[in-house]
Amino acid sequence: MAVRPVPVGPSKRPGLHYPLGDGTDPGTWEVLDTLLTHLRHSARPES
């Protein structure tokens, strides 16, 4: 993935922020789609 998450929040309950831009670049939608596909595949339980 070209987009790298930035850790946010307290260490006991961390979160990740994926900086995608300020919304002015139409190409950001493609990056968001790629990121969502990646996250959905990572969240699938292994069988």
Side-chain angles (χ1 to χ4, degrees):
M1 289 279 335
V3 177
R4 296 286 177 215
V6 177
V8 296
S11 59
K12 290 188 177 193
R13 193 168 175 182
L16 297 174
H17 168 70
Y18 290 85
L20 298 176
D22 62 4
T24 59
D25 179 6
T28 302
W29 289 108
E30 185 177 335
V31 174
L32 177 60
D33 185 51
T34 302
L35 174 61
L36 289 174
T37 300
H38 170 76
L39 293 174
R40 286 180 184 129
H41 286 284
S42 326
R44 287 187 183 161
E46 294 183 24
S47 338

